[in-house]
């Protein structure tokens, strides 16, 4: 019996007559995996061009017609309307990098895309997904060890190193020409909110970024105190500047009470009407007298939904009492304001006491271009917070400056959490690739093959960096490998000069946390995509 006749029944089409028998096909699971990998790769290719200091920017137009110009991987992917579930995982990946490290959101997606491509070639060679996944897990752990061994410890007192890492982060953004101004500003802002009792924790909610249209990014400044993006209420000619201020943050309304339920009161004659108005006046006057008795001369009034927080009448009496009023303070800002002023929010007029007030040397209204802002400076016993006033010529620049500043703040926060610096410019990735390649030779079997492949995958970062800078990627990466093989650990791509130099001397540095979390998160996401062999839609 010949071989061909033996093999024939195995691939025979299923008999059409019987309705119960069905043919189980494993090809679909392979196709599903390939589809997922292709989706992940296409998302990664979408943001690949915006990696590095010479990366391109993306212009995103939302459904509502709003236009965003950005270079930040997390923002680009966030605004993309991705439908494929595996591609959504890659979008989530950049979000989680944004939460953990704040920077490197493009890097993490590019690494994930490259790993997926290499996984595809391993799958084509018939290696089982589980084997690839386990090897990937081991590789990630080894990579983190290699990176940690390369890192240079840094002290928070060494302000220069912090500024260098913040400016490296800003150099790849739209506002890179202002990095000399924004980087020291970010460092000062973070260092001013670090609590000595908990030295390795920074809450970025303690740094408030206020955006104001007008001027250029050069006019951005850090304010020791508070800035409100609104003007003092002028309706009754009240004061607009107050020295030696005693500030109260109130959460009740200075307006006549209303009935709780929707009901109307019918007044039949004028005397009754006068009585109502008189009572209202007395009610408001009584409240203002209590406020004035504590020596309070600046009121911050929380926005109210149920009824007007202040009426014209109450504003008139407050102006007569020489009390400066800032109304419509957002509920979300109350916590930040009370922390900064070191005071307590007052929710009822009966609890209005002098010890609940915050004190400041000066509260004044300042004009910025056409708009006005209120500045509170010289706060006594100020809480550990900082306010940054960002300026820009148009809304697009403002938004991008805010995003870039957030990334720079996150970089400094990473350094506070984990005080190690590492070279940038593709140096760590090439070093990883070299050391993992050497490690792969020690391993046995399939594992060694997989690790070798992942080592090659990491070369995508220096390759993309040089490609985006218009250099010859193959020549640059080959030269990089050569320099690293000779023991120059910190040799990286100097995009400005278009050649390979010692990147640490060029001050291109990044926090260790950004690199390690990029590798661990990317491998985790790729392992998850590999393990999926079918997508079941449930209606």
């Amino acid at each position: 019996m010949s071989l061909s006749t033996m093999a024939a029944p195995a691939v025979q089409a299923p008999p059409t007559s019987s309705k119960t028998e069905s043919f189980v096909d494993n090809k679909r699971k392979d196709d599903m995996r390939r589809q997922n990998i292709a989706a992940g790769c296409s998302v990664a290719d979408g943001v690949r061009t915006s990696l590095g200091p010479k990366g391109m920017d993306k212009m995103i137009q939302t459904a509502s017609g709003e236009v965003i110009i950005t270079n930040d991987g997390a923002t680009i992917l966030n605004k993309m309307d991705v439908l494929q579930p595996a591609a959504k995982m890659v979008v989530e990946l950049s979000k989680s990098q944004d939460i953990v490290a704040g920077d490197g959101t493009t890097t993490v997606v590019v690494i994930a895309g490259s790993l997926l491509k290499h996984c595809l070639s391993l799958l084509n060679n018939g290696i089982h997904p589980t084997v690839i996944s386990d090897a990937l897990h081991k590789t990630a752990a080894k990579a983190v060890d290699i990176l940690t061994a390369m890192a240079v410890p840094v002290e928070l007192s060494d302000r220069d190193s912090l500024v260098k890492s913040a400016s490296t982060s800003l150099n790849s953004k739209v506002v890179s020409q202002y990095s000399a101004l924004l980087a020291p500003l970010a460092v000062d802002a973070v260092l001013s909110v670090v609590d000595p009792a908990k030295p390795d924790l920074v809450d970025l909610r303690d740094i408030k970024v206020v955006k104001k249209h007008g001027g250029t990014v050069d006019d951005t400044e850090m304010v020791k105190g508070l800035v409100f993006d609104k003007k003092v209420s002028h309706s009754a000619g009240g004061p607009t500047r107050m020295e030696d201020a005693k500030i109260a943050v109130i959460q009740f309304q200075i307006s006549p009470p209303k009935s709780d339920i929707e009901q109307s009161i019918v007044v039949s004659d004028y005397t009754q009407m006068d009585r109502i108005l008189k009572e209202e006046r007395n009610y408001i006057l009584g409240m203002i007298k209590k406020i004035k008795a504590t020596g309070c001369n600046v009121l911050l009034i929380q926005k109210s939904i149920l009824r007007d927080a202040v009426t014209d009448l109450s504003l008139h009496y407050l102006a007569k009492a020489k009390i400066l009023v800032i109304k419509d303070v957002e509920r979300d800002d109350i916590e930040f304001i009370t922390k900064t002023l070191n005071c307590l929010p007052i929710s009822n007029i009966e609890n209005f006491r002098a010890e609940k007030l915050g004190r400041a040397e000066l509260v004044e209204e300042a004009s910025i271009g056409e708009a006005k802002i209120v500045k509170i400076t010289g706060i006594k016993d100020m809480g550990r917070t900082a306010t940054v006033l960002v300026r820009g010529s148009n809304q697009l620049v403002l938004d991008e400056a805010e995003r870039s500043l957030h990334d720079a703040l996150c970089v400094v926060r990473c350094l506070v959490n984990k005080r190690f610096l590492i070279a940038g410019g593709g140096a760590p990735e090439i070093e990883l690739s070299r050391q993992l390649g050497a490690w792969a030779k020690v391993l046995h079997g399939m594992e060694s093959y997989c690790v070798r492949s992942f080592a090659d995958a990491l070369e995508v970062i220096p390759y993309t960096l040089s490609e985006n800078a218009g250099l010859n990627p193959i020549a640059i990466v080959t030269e990089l490998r050569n320099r690293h093989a000779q023991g120059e650990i910190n040799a990286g791509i100097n995009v400005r000069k278009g050649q390979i130099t010692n990147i640490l001397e060029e001050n291109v540095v990044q926090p260790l946390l950004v690199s390690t979390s990029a590798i661990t998160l990317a491998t985790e996401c790729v392992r998850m995509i590999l393990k999926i062999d079918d997508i079941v839609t449930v209606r």
Side-chain angles (χ1 to χ4, degrees):
M1 192 172 174
S2 73
L3 231 160
S4 55
T5 49
M6 272 175 71
V11 288
Q12 259 180 3
T16 45
S17 58
S18 162
K19 285 182 185 170
T20 50
E21 284 180 28
S22 61
F23 171 58
V24 179
D25 184 9
N26 251 349
K27 190 172 182 307
R28 171 147 188 255
K29 295 192 171 166
D30 281 351
D31 285 351
M32 206 70 247
R33 221 176 254 121
R34 279 163 212 276
Q35 206 176 317
N36 287 345
I37 289 175
C41 289
S42 59
V43 170
D45 288 341
V47 292
R48 218 183 101 174
T49 49
S50 63
L51 180 77
K54 299 277 187 197
M56 297 294 168
D57 304 330
K58 303 273 182 263
M59 186 184 247
I60 304 161
Q61 188 169 17
T62 58
S64 59
E66 181 195 0
V67 175
I68 298 167
I69 298 175
T70 182
N71 194 307
D72 182 43
T75 313
I76 297 168
L77 292 176
N78 228 339
K79 298 290 176 190
M80 272 189 192
D81 202 9
V82 180
L83 297 174
Q84 218 273 356
K88 271 187 187 158
M89 285 164 67
V90 178
V91 175
E92 292 293 326
L93 167 70
S94 80
K95 274 190 202 164
S96 53
Q97 172 76 0
D98 201 26
I99 293 164
V100 175
D103 196 24
T105 46
T106 317
T107 311
V108 72
V109 176
V110 172
I111 290 177
S114 176
L115 285 172
L116 283 171
K117 276 190 187 124
H118 281 78
C119 286
L120 191 59
S121 67
L122 291 175
L123 286 171
N124 289 342
N125 291 345
I127 302 177
H128 196 275
T130 313
V131 176
I132 301 176
S133 171
D134 291 346
L136 194 49
H137 181 59
K138 274 189 181 174
T139 312
K142 177 79 174 168
V144 171
D145 292 346
I146 296 171
L147 283 174
T148 314
M150 277 177 71
V152 184
V154 66
E155 282 305 316
L156 288 187
S157 52
D158 180 8
R159 187 165 174 274
D160 275 1
S161 297
L162 301 183
V163 172
K164 282 174 197 168
S165 55
S167 62
T168 303
S169 161
L170 287 166
N171 277 339
S172 64
K173 305 282 186 266
V174 181
V175 290
S176 56
Q177 66 265 37
Y178 302 110
S179 63
L181 167 79
L182 294 177
L185 196 136
V187 172
D188 293 340
V190 172
L191 292 183
S192 65
V193 302
V194 175
D195 187 354
K198 290 178 277 191
D200 50 357
L201 279 178
V202 175
D203 189 354
L204 286 185
R205 283 173 300 192
D206 291 342
I207 300 172
K208 189 177 179 203
V209 178
V210 179
K211 295 184 293 186
K212 205 70 188 141
H213 192 257
T216 61
V217 181
D218 275 327
D219 303 328
T220 299
E221 57 174 340
M222 184 175 141
V223 181
K224 281 294 247 187
L226 272 175
V227 173
F228 290 99
D229 184 11
K230 41 175 74 75
K231 55 186 189 207
V232 175
S233 72
H234 289 279
S235 57
T240 58
R241 176 188 166 92
M242 189 65 69
E243 290 180 8
D244 190 23
K246 292 176 183 171
I247 307 164
V249 180
I250 62 169
Q251 295 181 301
F252 57 86
Q253 296 89 8
I254 307 181
S255 59
K258 271 186 176 177
S259 52
D260 286 344
I261 19 176
E262 278 295 321
Q263 51 176 237
S264 50
I265 301 167
V266 180
V267 182
S268 50
D269 62 344
Y270 286 115
T271 49
Q272 298 279 22
M273 217 150 139
D274 282 349
R275 231 177 99 198
I276 289 176
L277 289 170
K278 207 170 181 182
E279 283 297 323
E280 282 185 2
R281 207 170 302 142
N282 289 342
Y283 177 79
I284 291 171
L285 266 173
M287 287 176 104
I288 291 170
K289 276 176 185 163
K290 279 181 184 169
I291 292 171
K292 193 67 187 160
T294 59
C296 162
N297 53 14
V298 176
L299 265 189
L300 305 179
I301 303 175
Q302 184 183 312
K303 223 177 198 172
S304 168
I305 317 164
L306 300 172
R307 63 179 209 235
D308 299 334
V310 277
T311 58
D312 290 344
L313 187 63
S314 56
L315 282 173
H316 169 73
Y317 284 132
L318 284 166
K320 272 194 166 174
K322 296 276 183 289
I323 294 176
L324 186 145
V325 179
I326 302 168
K327 54 181 188 177
D328 292 344
V329 175
E330 295 291 341
R331 181 185 291 260
D332 303 342
D333 295 343
I334 293 285
E335 189 184 342
F336 180 81
I337 293 167
T338 49
K339 186 171 182 179
T340 308
L341 292 173
N342 203 359
C343 64
L344 292 168
I346 304 164
S347 56
N348 194 332
I349 187 72
E350 302 304 327
N351 306 337
F352 207 106
R353 295 194 194 88
E355 57 266 25
K356 290 193 175 182
L357 305 183
R359 290 161 196 279
E361 283 170 20
L362 181 64
V363 177
E364 66 170 343
E365 188 177 66
S367 293
I368 288 191
E370 292 177 1
K372 295 203 169 161
I373 58 166
V374 180
K375 273 188 185 176
I376 302 180
T377 47
I379 298 169
K380 193 180 164 199
D381 302 330
M382 181 174 157
R384 291 191 173 278
T385 59
T387 306
V388 179
L389 181 62
V390 177
R391 311 288 307 283
S393 53
N394 61 30
Q395 200 58 42
L396 300 177
V397 174
L398 262 181
D399 291 344
E400 184 56 18
E402 186 196 16
R403 277 191 289 271
S404 308
L405 190 63
H406 174 260
D407 277 12
L409 291 171
C410 287
V411 165
V412 186
R413 184 189 64 179
C414 286
L415 285 174
V416 174
N417 289 356
K418 202 171 185 182
R419 297 176 188 185
F420 286 99
L421 277 176
I422 198 169
E429 283 81 10
I430 280 283
E431 185 59 22
L432 273 181
S433 178
R434 192 184 69 78
Q435 292 202 27
L436 288 175
W439 185 55
K441 290 174 185 165
V442 184
L443 297 171
H444 300 290
M446 288 297 186
E447 232 174 29
S448 141
Y449 197 71
C450 296
V451 173
R452 175 68 251 159
S453 185
F454 299 139
D456 293 345
L458 287 172
E459 283 180 4
V460 72
I461 298 289
Y463 188 92
T464 308
L465 276 178
S466 48
E467 194 176 46
N468 288 349
L471 309 172
N472 179 350
I474 296 173
I476 290 274
V477 173
T478 313
E479 171 68 7
L480 252 185
R481 275 194 210 139
N482 182 21
R483 297 281 278 273
H484 277 260
Q486 288 165 12
E488 293 181 35
I489 290 186
N490 295 323
I493 303 166
N494 184 340
V495 179
R496 290 205 184 91
K497 293 182 182 167
Q499 61 201 49
I500 288 162
T501 51
N502 183 335
I503 277 293
L504 274 187
E505 287 167 12
E506 295 285 338
N507 300 337
V508 179
V509 285
Q510 59 188 26
L512 174 65
L513 192 63
V514 171
S515 295
T516 52
S517 76
I519 299 255
T520 46
L521 290 171
T523 46
E524 201 171 272
C525 177
V526 170
R527 287 180 66 205
M528 209 157 196
I529 291 176
L530 269 183
K531 290 274 184 86
I532 298 168
D533 67 351
D534 210 344
I535 294 179
V536 182
T537 46
V538 183
R539 286 279 176 268

